[in-house]
Amino acid sequence: MLSEHSLDNLKGVGPKQLEKLHKLGLFVVQDLLFHLPLRYQDKTKLTALENACLGSEVLMEGEIFSQALTRGRRNSLLVKIQSPQGAFLTLRFFHFHYRQAQQFTRGKTLRVFGEVRSGPNGLEMVHPSYEFVNTETPPELENTLTPIYPTTEGLGQVSLLKLVQQAMSLLKQYPLVELLPNNLLDSLQLPDLNSALFTLHQPQPDDDLLEIKQFSHPAQQRLIVEELITQQAALQLLRQTEQKRLAPALPASQMANALLKSLPFALTDAQQRVLQEIQQDLLKPYPMQRLVQGDVGSGKTVIAALAAIQAAEAGYQVAIMAPTEILAEQHLNAFLEWLEPLGVTVAWLNGRMKAAEKRFQLAQIESGEAKIVIGTHALFQDSVTFNRLGLVVIDEQHRFGVHQRLALHEKGQNQDHHPHQLVMTATPIPRTLAMTAYGDLDLSIIDELPPGRKPIDTAVLSNEKRSSVMEHLYVKCKQGVQAYWVCPLIEESELLHAQAAEVTATQFTDHWPDLRVGLIHGRLKGEQKALVMNAFKDHELDLLVATTVIEVGVNVPNSSLMIIENAERLGLAQLHQLRGRVGRGDLQSHCVLLYQPPLSETGKARLNIMRDTTDGFRIAEEDLKIRGPGEILGTKQTGGLQFRIADLKRDSHWIPIAQHWAKTLVENDTQIVTDLQERWVGHKVDYQHA
Ligand SMILES: Nc1ncnc2c1ncn2[C@@H]1O[C@H](COP(=O)(O)OP(=O)(O)OP(=O)(O)O)[C@@H](O)[C@H]1O
C-alpha cells in the first residue's frame, strides 16, 4: 500500500534526503503523490523567436551570432542568438566560468529555455537553461509538461522530480482506491483519483495550462473536492459523536421571563428568534452545539444571560468565558445587574485576584453555590472544579481556538452528562468559512440591530489632516461627546504600540490641558485597565486613547466618536470591530479612518468599503476575498484549517457542495469517511483537533 510505503524505500533516498522530505510533510509514498506542483514548464514544443510573448517561459532554438563580456557593477556574459527568420535574442549570464564562455562560438545552435524579457538590446533571457544542438540529430522534446514542485533548501527540483516519477510508476502498479462514489464524480464531472494524479504530475501538452494555473482544471478540482469532503465529514462525525452524548435537559425557565420584564428594552425579532433556537436546544437531552453570530452591538450579552438563567434555574452551573479581562468584567457587571436581583449567585475569576478572594470564589464554584461563573481562560485551569456544569458560553471563540473550547468542555464532563455549548462571535463570518471553521456547530444569526441605532458616519482622511482632526475632537468633547482615539499598529511589539498611544495621549494633554484623557493599552496591569475603563464609562474621561485592546466587546453607549490612525494597516474585520465601539446608543456616531499616504489602489478600495457600509457580513466577505481566512478567524483558529491542496479563499464555492456530499457519506458509509480521513489527515493535518 502506497500509504504505508515509507519514502526511504525509494531509490536515492538516504537519511539526509529523508529529513528534507519530512520537512516538507512527506513521509510515505502516497504523500509524494499529493505533493502537487506549484507550476509547470512547457518543454514539449519549440516556439519561434518571433512569436514569443514577453513574460512567458518558452523553449526556443537559434544560432549563436556573437558573444561579449560586459564589465560594470556586475560582470555579465551576453550571448546573442539568431532565429532562422533572423530575429535576435540575448542570453544574459551573471554567474559563469570563463571556460563556459568560450563554448559559445559563432555558428553553433543552442536550445534554450527561460522567460522572455525585454532588455537594453531587445529581447533577452536571464540565466536560461541551455543545451547545444546537433542539427542533424536534434534532441527529443519532452512528452509531458515539466512540473516544478514546492521544495526546501538542499532538495533540488531534479531529485524531487525523480522521486515523484518513482512514485508515479508505483501508482501504475498499485492504483489508489477510489473513495468517492461514481454518482458524485459523474454529477460534478470530475475525473477519477488516479487519472487526476497522473494529469497533475505529468500533464500532456494538450492539457490546459491556463486552467491548471488558475486551479480550475478538473484534475485539481477533483482533489480539492475530496479534501473538502474529508474535512466536512470529519466535522460531521465530531458532531454526531457529540450528539450521542448525554446532556441535562433544561426545562423552560420562569426566571427568564422575569428577567425579560425587568429589562429597559424589548428584544428585537432577531434576538427573539435566536433565543428560541437556544431554548429549544437546551430542552434536549444531548449537548447543544450552537454558534451565535451577531454583528457588533446587536445585543448578544442579554441572549447569553437568558440562556444562562435557564441552566441556573434547573440547578446547573454556567461558565462564561471571555477573551479579555476587560470583557469578562463587563459581562460580570451586566450579569450582576440582571441576575443578582433574581437571587442567582455570580462568581468570577481573574488573574489579579488576591489569594483569599480567589479561594472564596473557587469554593463557591466547587460547592455549587455560584451558579454563574465568569472569567477568561482562567476558567479552565486545574484549580477550578465545577460542581454541576450544565452550560458553557464562549464569547469570541476564535480568540481561543478549538483546543481551549474542547478543554473547557471536558471540565464539565462528569459521569452522567456533558455541558451544553454556546459560542458567540461578533465577527461576522462568511457562510462558507463558518461551514468550515465551525461546521460542527449549528448556526444562529442576530441580523438586526436594536431600534434607534443610527448608522455610523465614516470618513476616510489622509494623516496630513491629523491636527485638524485632533482639533475637531477637542471641540466635540467640549460639547459633551466621548471619543476613542485608536493608535497605530506600527510594529507587532506591544511596547512600541503602547508608546505610540502614550505619545498621542500626551499630545492631547499638552495642547488641551482641560481635556480629560485616559490611556489604555496591553501593557497596563489588569487593575489599571479596569480603573481607566470604569472612569470612561462613568464619563469622568472625555477621550480614551487606546491601542487595539479595546477591539472586542467594549460597551460604552455614550461614546460617539472614534478616530483610527493608520487604518490602512488593519484588516477590515478588525476595523469593523473597532468602529463597532461607537454607534451603540441612540447618538449619531462618527468614525474617522486616518491613513498614511500614499495609499495603494487596493488600500483605497478597502477603506472605501468601510466608508460605504456598516454591514459586517459584507465587510467580512470582502475581507475574505482580500486577505483570506486568517484575517477573519485569527491565526489560532486557522491553525485547524490547514489544507494540503484546498484553499479557503480560492475554493470556497466548493464548500456547500462538499458539505452536502459529506453528509451523504456520513449517513451511508462511515467506512469511506474513515478511509478518506486516513488518506488526507495522514501525518500532517488533523482537521478536528489541530
Ligand atoms: N433589543 C435591544 N434594544 C435596545 N438595546 C439593546 C437591545 N439588546 C441589547 N441592547 C443594548 O445594546 C448594547 C450592545 O449590546 P451587547 O453589548 O450585548 O452587544 P454585543 O452583541 O455583545 O456587541 P459586540 O459584539 O460589539 O460587543 C448594550 O448596551 C445592550 O444593553
Side-chain angles (χ1 to χ4, degrees):
M1 288 254 296
L2 299 188
S3 58
E4 285 156 14
H5 213 69
S6 164
L7 285 172
D8 47 7
N9 290 321
L10 297 181
K11 257 185 273 157
V13 179
K16 268 198 178 150
Q17 270 216 330
L18 200 61
E19 203 182 298
K20 303 253 151 49
L21 291 162
H22 289 178
K23 214 167 148 193
L24 289 172
L26 310 175
F27 295 85
V28 289
V29 172
Q30 184 181 287
D31 293 336
L32 265 181
L33 302 173
F34 288 95
H35 189 63
L36 296 189
L38 282 174
R39 59 191 186 89
Y40 301 87
Q41 293 177 337
D42 187 355
K43 297 182 184 171
T44 63
K45 58 177 183 295
L46 285 167
T47 303
L49 213 46
E50 294 69 20
N51 300 337
C53 301
L54 280 182
S56 62
E57 280 190 322
V58 287
L59 188 71
M60 49 180 58
E61 275 184 11
E63 207 179 284
I64 297 177
F65 178 76
S66 67
Q67 63 131 302
L69 277 175
T70 61
R71 297 192 189 280
R73 207 163 43 87
R74 288 173 87 185
N75 290 349
S76 47
L77 167 67
L78 303 179
V79 179
K80 206 172 220 189
I81 62 172
Q82 187 177 26
S83 77
Q85 286 73 25
F88 287 105
L89 173 74
T90 304
L91 315 178
R92 186 181 289 274
F93 299 90
F94 294 110
H95 316 283
F96 54 93
H97 275 294
Y98 286 89
R99 275 229 315 278
Q100 182 187 7
Q102 285 160 7
Q103 295 177 337
F104 294 113
T105 47
R106 191 179 163 117
K108 280 189 184 170
T109 302
L110 273 183
R111 183 178 286 184
V112 295
F113 181 84
E115 186 189 321
V116 182
R117 302 190 192 170
S118 125
N121 310 311
L123 295 182
E124 67 174 41
M125 271 185 193
V126 177
H127 277 277
S129 59
Y130 65 90
E131 61 182 322
F132 290 95
V133 171
N134 179 344
T135 40
E136 307 278 292
T137 50
E140 281 186 20
L141 294 166
E142 303 277 356
N143 305 322
T144 61
L145 301 177
T146 312
I148 304 291
Y149 292 97
T151 187
T152 178
E153 210 181 314
L155 183 65
Q157 280 302 327
V158 178
S159 322
L160 195 51
L161 181 62
K162 277 190 184 145
L163 296 181
V164 178
Q165 280 167 347
Q166 288 183 61
M168 295 309 288
S169 36
L170 284 169
L171 181 65
K172 268 186 204 142
Q173 285 174 48
Y174 311 103
L176 295 182
V177 179
E178 178 58 75
L179 294 174
L180 297 187
N182 279 337
N183 58 344
L184 181 159
L185 295 179
D186 289 347
S187 74
L188 301 180
Q189 298 194 315
L190 295 173
D192 70 89
L193 178 65
N194 293 293
S195 45
L197 291 172
F198 276 109
T199 306
L200 293 175
H201 288 289
Q202 299 172 343
Q204 297 305 307
D206 50 2
D207 272 311
D208 190 337
L209 253 186
L210 191 67
E211 258 188 6
I212 298 186
K213 257 192 201 155
Q214 295 169 342
F215 261 81
S216 58
H217 193 285
Q220 290 160 321
Q221 306 268 289
R222 134 96 225 188
L223 293 174
I224 291 165
V225 167
E226 185 172 317
E227 185 169 35
L228 289 175
I229 288 179
T230 308
Q231 194 259 0
Q232 287 294 326
L235 287 174
Q236 287 179 25
L237 276 185
L238 189 68
R239 187 187 159 79
Q240 227 178 39
T241 318
E242 200 58 21
Q243 287 189 337
K244 284 189 189 129
R245 293 178 163 161
L246 289 179
L250 305 171
S253 157
Q254 298 306 315
M255 276 155 100
N257 292 333
L259 171 56
L260 279 172
K261 283 207 188 94
S262 73
L263 292 173
F265 50 76
L267 295 188
T268 61
D269 288 349
Q271 281 172 315
Q272 273 178 30
R273 191 191 62 239
V274 170
L275 179 63
Q276 261 169 23
E277 287 166 353
I278 295 169
Q279 288 174 335
Q280 289 301 318
D281 285 354
L282 293 177
L283 290 175
K284 295 184 185 137
Y286 53 84
M288 162 170 79
Q289 297 159 267
R290 188 167 286 280
L291 169 69
V292 173
Q293 281 193 50
D295 208 343
V296 288
S298 61
K300 291 180 288 295
T301 320
V302 70
I303 300 299
L306 287 158
I309 214 166
Q310 188 165 343
E313 192 172 346
Y316 286 89
Q317 285 177 305
V318 183
I320 299 181
M321 186 159 84
T324 62
E325 293 212 339
I326 293 185
L327 266 194
E329 190 159 348
Q330 191 171 285
H331 285 333
L332 176 75
N333 292 336
F335 276 67
L336 285 174
E337 185 189 325
W338 291 332
L339 301 189
E340 279 211 329
L342 300 170
V344 179
T345 310
V346 181
W348 91 300
L349 286 171
N350 73 19
R352 63 195 148 93
M353 252 173 193
K354 300 243 160 57
E357 168 72 5
K358 189 166 181 191
R359 263 199 311 276
F360 173 73
Q361 298 285 346
L362 287 173
Q364 280 210 317
I365 300 168
E366 189 159 1
S367 70
E369 167 67 21
K371 287 285 177 290
I372 313 279
V373 186
I374 299 178
T376 58
H377 52 282
L379 289 189
F380 59 86
Q381 280 163 5
D382 287 342
S383 57
V384 187
T385 314
F386 288 92
N387 180 283
R388 242 181 140 202
L389 188 58
L391 169 65
V392 171
V393 180
I394 302 178
D395 191 4
E396 285 293 327
Q397 107 134 96
H398 64 280
R399 297 256 151 171
F400 294 109
V402 183
H403 267 317
Q404 283 158 314
R405 165 150 72 94
L406 293 175
L408 189 56
H409 192 62
E410 298 306 310
K411 276 237 170 229
Q413 198 189 108
N414 34 33
Q415 281 72 27
D416 58 343
H417 75 256
H418 276 67
H420 293 281
Q421 213 187 114
L422 183 63
V423 176
M424 305 223 157
T425 167
T427 309
I429 304 165
R431 199 173 76 94
T432 49
L433 194 53
M435 282 165 116
T436 323
Y438 304 99
D440 58 327
L441 305 177
D442 289 314
L443 183 62
S444 293
I445 299 181
I446 312 183
D447 49 6
E448 185 186 352
L449 293 179
R453 300 272 171 87
K454 301 183 182 72
I456 304 163
D457 178 33
T458 301
V460 178
L461 295 179
S462 154
N463 203 32
E464 287 152 3
K465 301 260 165 57
R466 190 172 188 271
S467 2
S468 55
V469 172
M470 287 174 82
E471 182 91 42
H472 176 75
L473 183 146
Y474 171 73
V475 173
K476 283 284 163 197
C477 284
K478 286 282 111 187
Q479 293 167 1
V481 161
Q482 280 190 279
Y484 295 95
W485 185 289
V486 183
C487 275
L489 183 96
I490 297 170
E491 302 274 345
E492 282 300 315
S493 136
E494 196 63 59
L495 174 66
L496 291 178
H497 199 179
Q499 279 171 354
E502 273 163 23
V503 169
T504 306
T506 317
Q507 284 170 347
F508 273 108
T509 40
D510 284 354
H511 250 81
W512 297 287
D514 58 331
L515 190 69
R516 298 171 302 170
V517 182
L519 174 65
I520 195 158
H521 55 69
R523 284 172 63 88
L524 289 186
K525 292 228 169 62
E527 213 154 334
Q528 290 167 295
K529 270 192 224 163
L531 275 175
V532 178
M533 255 347 280
N534 288 334
F536 189 61
K537 253 184 207 149
D538 297 341
H539 205 162
E540 288 160 14
L541 296 172
D542 305 307
L543 167 65
L544 188 60
V545 178
T547 59
T548 44
V549 292
I550 57 147
E551 180 188 333
V552 279
V554 168
N555 186 40
V556 183
N558 189 50
S559 56
S560 61
L561 175 59
M562 168 165 286
I563 320 295
I564 306 175
E565 270 192 274
N566 283 84
E568 79 281 2
R569 290 176 191 252
L570 298 174
L572 295 187
Q574 200 181 2
L575 282 173
H576 179 64
Q577 266 300 320
L578 281 169
R579 180 173 62 178
R581 300 310 105 213
V582 295
R584 301 174 78 84
D586 40 21
L587 299 170
Q588 173 63 54
S589 292
H590 300 270
C591 175
V592 178
L593 303 176
L594 284 177
Y595 65 84
Q596 192 63 44
L599 193 59
S600 69
E601 279 306 307
T602 8
K604 210 175 284 172
R606 296 174 64 241
L607 293 185
N608 285 346
I609 294 168
M610 293 303 299
R611 189 192 57 204
D612 297 343
T613 182
T614 50
D615 174 350
F617 282 90
R618 221 197 107 201
I619 291 171
E621 289 285 354
E622 296 296 333
D623 221 18
L624 178 63
K625 273 189 234 150
I626 302 171
R627 288 213 173 186
E631 182 61 40
I632 299 171
L633 295 175
T635 37
K636 282 197 190 117
Q637 181 65 29
T638 21
L641 292 178
Q642 276 166 10
F643 291 90
R644 288 180 174 217
I645 296 168
D647 173 321
L648 291 182
K649 194 165 141 191
R650 185 191 62 209
D651 306 321
S652 63
H653 58 288
W654 282 113
I655 293 169
I657 300 166
Q659 191 186 54
H660 163 80
W661 286 98
K663 210 163 160 209
T664 318
L665 290 185
V666 169
E667 276 163 14
N668 299 319
D669 198 338
T670 42
Q671 185 53 46
I672 292 197
V673 176
T674 315
D675 292 347
L676 277 171
Q677 282 195 53
E678 247 167 50
R679 174 175 291 168
W680 285 92
V681 173
H683 303 268
K684 201 172 154 195
V685 192
D686 179 346
Y687 297 123
Q688 293 184 8
H689 299 292

